[in-house]
Amino acid sequence: MIDSKMMLTIRNLASACKKEENQFFRNWQAGGIGNLLSKWRVHLLFGLILLPCIILGYVWQVYKGSWLDWRISMTCADSGGDALLLSANSSGGDALLLSANRNKTNPLDDLEEIELPRMIYTKPQVFQLPRSDVLTMTPWFAPIVWEGTYNLEILNEQFRQRNVTVGLTVFAIKKYVVFLRKFIETAEIYFMVGHRVNYYVFTDRPQDVPNITLKEGRQIVSLQVQNYPRWQEISMRRMEMINHFSQERFIYEVDYLVCVDVDMRFSDQVGVEILSELFGTLHPGFYAAPRNRFTYERRAVSQAYIPYDEGDFYYAGGFFGGTVPEVYKLTKKCHKAIMADKEKKLEAIWQEESHLNKYFVYHKPTKILSPEYLWDNNIGSPAFLKKKRFLAVPKNHAAIRNKRSLAVR
């Protein structure tokens, strides 16, 4: 089919040839050549010239993209240079695409079909809820993770197919370095079993990071950071440090980040069931509290301010995470808000936890972890709590935040 643009081109070419024919014929008449060639022979001559032009024009219109693609691609492939591709877009114009991947094959060509093992498990029942005593889904369709609401074997196979690496960040500043050994030793038993893990230890004392034998595919990475006189300042600076290293390092090394407190110990399985684009954890002190009891920042002058009629849950600052890009966005927003408050000589009531809660009000997490994932035995053992996966280590807060000695039990 000849499109409208091609027809216009042919008409313009025919009109130009007609003008040239008449001019040529007049010149011949004036020069006495007209006696030698009659006018119909002149028409025949110009017809023989015009017909090949029309045919060549049509062939060029139809095949020029494919021909150029083949010629340029072959030339670049032979020379080992970058592929310069010229192709026609839908509007008839040309798009010039430069491939920056020198001598690289399409990454899709490397994908392999993974053979999964035979899996035997209880069939899910449409009319049988896994848990009826707790909320398992938010109004925005984010699951709340409780024991009995998932099958870890299925999830492990899914994440193994993706070959993920998880980064676990902790801050061991000043005396808090004393918690590292218990933290990492219990993590090796319970955290992301069977998956690759990078332990990112933010510390001002890298020489005090314990030397622990780890399982295959797991490593400790010490990141030296500045110390601050006040523990509140250290707490607020966590967002800044996680944000900085997310951009400079984490984005190249891991798929997910899990950001937790170091003065804790793992006591049960914490696996890939927690992973999602963006997740937070219900605070063990407020999981059943009404909205007006939440200890949100209530001063309107603060960037962390949340009105009394807003908010879904109260999230703990000691356990959150997600993909590296989402954690980067969260920590960047929180850090900017913290710095804006600092310029006004303000400090949110619960430092970075207050800003985290403000972020989650307007950027809903895609998964929420139940208090199983952050618990303190001093609160007790309610019947709904089937597991205690991540427990606070008993400690003397005054001792750990000052210069007195401390022993970890």
Side-chain angles (χ1 to χ4, degrees):
M1 295 294 293
I2 301 179
D3 57 17
S4 57
K5 186 177 179 180
M6 184 62 191
M7 289 298 298
L8 180 61
T9 302
I10 293 173
R11 285 198 297 269
N12 291 340
L13 183 59
S15 176
C17 289
K18 184 64 177 178
K19 291 180 182 179
E20 290 296 327
E21 171 194 341
N22 291 337
Q23 182 64 38
F24 187 52
F25 186 74
R26 285 195 297 271
N27 290 341
W28 278 11
Q29 289 284 4
I33 308 176
N35 295 328
L36 299 177
L37 291 174
S38 60
K39 188 173 182 179
W40 69 269
R41 289 180 178 172
V42 175
H43 280 290
L44 177 61
L45 176 61
F46 277 94
L48 293 174
I49 297 173
L50 179 61
L51 183 60
C53 291
I54 294 174
I55 295 173
L56 289 174
Y58 176 72
V59 171
W60 172 258
Q61 179 72 14
V62 173
Y63 295 104
K64 67 175 181 177
S66 301
W67 182 78
L68 280 178
D69 284 349
W70 177 79
R71 286 294 300 161
I72 297 176
S73 298
M74 288 297 293
T75 301
C76 292
D78 291 341
S79 62
D82 295 330
L84 189 64
L85 304 180
L86 188 66
S87 59
N89 61 24
S90 58
S91 62
D94 290 330
L96 193 62
L97 305 177
L98 182 63
S99 171
N101 295 322
R102 182 186 297 267
N103 296 329
K104 288 187 178 180
T105 59
N106 190 323
L108 296 178
D109 295 337
D110 297 330
L111 294 180
E112 297 180 1
E113 183 179 353
I114 298 176
E115 295 292 337
L116 296 178
R118 184 168 180 264
M119 299 185 67
I120 302 175
Y121 52 87
T122 304
K123 175 189 176 297
Q125 301 297 322
V126 174
F127 299 107
Q128 183 178 342
L129 297 177
R131 292 285 296 265
S132 58
D133 58 333
V134 292
L135 181 67
T136 59
M137 185 71 69
T138 69
W140 59 92
F141 286 114
I144 303 178
V145 184
W146 301 86
E147 173 66 14
T149 62
Y150 61 91
N151 186 313
L152 187 56
E153 291 183 10
I154 298 175
L155 292 173
N156 273 330
E157 288 302 327
Q158 290 179 328
F159 279 89
R160 285 193 188 102
Q161 290 180 52
R162 295 163 56 186
N163 201 26
V164 300
T165 301
V166 179
L168 182 61
T169 71
V170 290
F171 283 76
I173 309 293
K174 295 184 176 180
K175 286 278 194 173
Y176 276 82
V177 73
V178 74
F179 295 106
L180 272 176
R181 179 171 292 278
K182 176 67 70 175
F183 177 89
I184 296 176
E185 286 177 347
T186 57
E188 281 295 285
I189 299 172
Y190 297 113
F191 183 74
M192 297 293 164
V193 176
H195 299 277
R196 295 198 305 270
V197 174
N198 287 357
Y199 297 102
Y200 293 115
V201 179
F202 293 84
T203 183
D204 60 334
R205 302 179 181 182
Q207 71 278 2
D208 292 336
V209 175
N211 184 15
I212 300 174
T213 301
L214 306 178
K215 297 175 184 176
E216 183 179 357
R218 301 160 85 97
Q219 62 175 327
I220 297 174
V221 180
S222 296
L223 302 173
Q224 187 164 4
V225 294
Q226 180 181 349
N227 188 1
Y228 293 90
R230 299 170 59 245
W231 69 265
Q232 294 92 340
E233 182 77 7
I234 295 172
S235 179
M236 289 191 297
R237 290 286 178 175
R238 293 202 306 175
M239 293 295 185
E240 177 185 16
M241 297 175 196
I242 293 173
N243 179 258
H244 172 74
F245 282 97
S246 291
Q247 184 177 30
E248 296 296 321
R249 181 165 189 164
F250 301 158
I251 191 66
Y252 304 107
E253 297 180 352
V254 297
D255 303 290
Y256 293 91
L257 283 174
V258 180
C259 308
V260 300
D261 287 343
V262 71
D263 51 346
M264 307 285 292
R265 64 180 176 88
F266 291 91
S267 56
D268 211 315
Q269 295 295 326
V270 176
V272 295
E273 77 278 359
I274 73 172
L275 300 180
S276 186
E277 192 172 2
L278 181 66
F279 64 85
T281 305
L282 299 181
H283 195 289
F286 298 96
Y287 57 86
R291 182 184 282 165
N292 62 3
R293 291 271 311 278
F294 293 162
T295 55
Y296 290 154
E297 174 57 66
R298 301 300 188 182
R299 294 173 295 174
V301 292
S302 172
Q303 293 291 314
Y305 167 67
I306 301 175
Y308 279 94
D309 58 351
E310 293 188 42
D312 307 295
F313 306 102
Y314 190 87
Y315 299 95
F319 202 135
F320 67 92
T323 61
V324 179
E326 286 300 319
V327 172
Y328 171 79
K329 290 191 291 186
L330 181 154
T331 52
K332 181 178 181 180
K333 181 71 173 178
C334 290
H335 173 61
K336 289 177 64 176
I338 290 170
M339 291 297 102
D341 274 3
K342 191 172 183 180
E343 289 181 0
K344 301 177 185 177
K345 301 187 183 307
L346 288 174
E347 191 174 278
I349 182 171
W350 290 110
Q351 294 83 42
E352 87 283 7
E353 184 174 87
S354 297
H355 292 278
L356 176 73
N357 274 275
K358 173 67 175 287
Y359 188 86
F360 280 153
V361 169
Y362 303 110
H363 306 82
K364 306 294 189 191
T366 55
K367 183 177 286 186
I368 297 175
L369 308 185
S370 69
E372 295 175 2
Y373 292 88
L374 189 65
W375 193 254
D376 190 329
N377 277 332
N378 292 325
I379 301 175
S381 301
F384 68 84
L385 201 69
K386 309 296 184 184
K387 298 277 189 178
K388 298 177 184 177
R389 304 175 187 275
F390 195 46
L391 287 170
V393 174
K395 57 187 171 295
N396 184 326
H397 285 281
I400 195 66
R401 291 170 181 171
N402 294 298
K403 297 187 180 298
R404 292 162 55 187
S405 62
L406 178 79
V408 178
R409 287 180 283 174

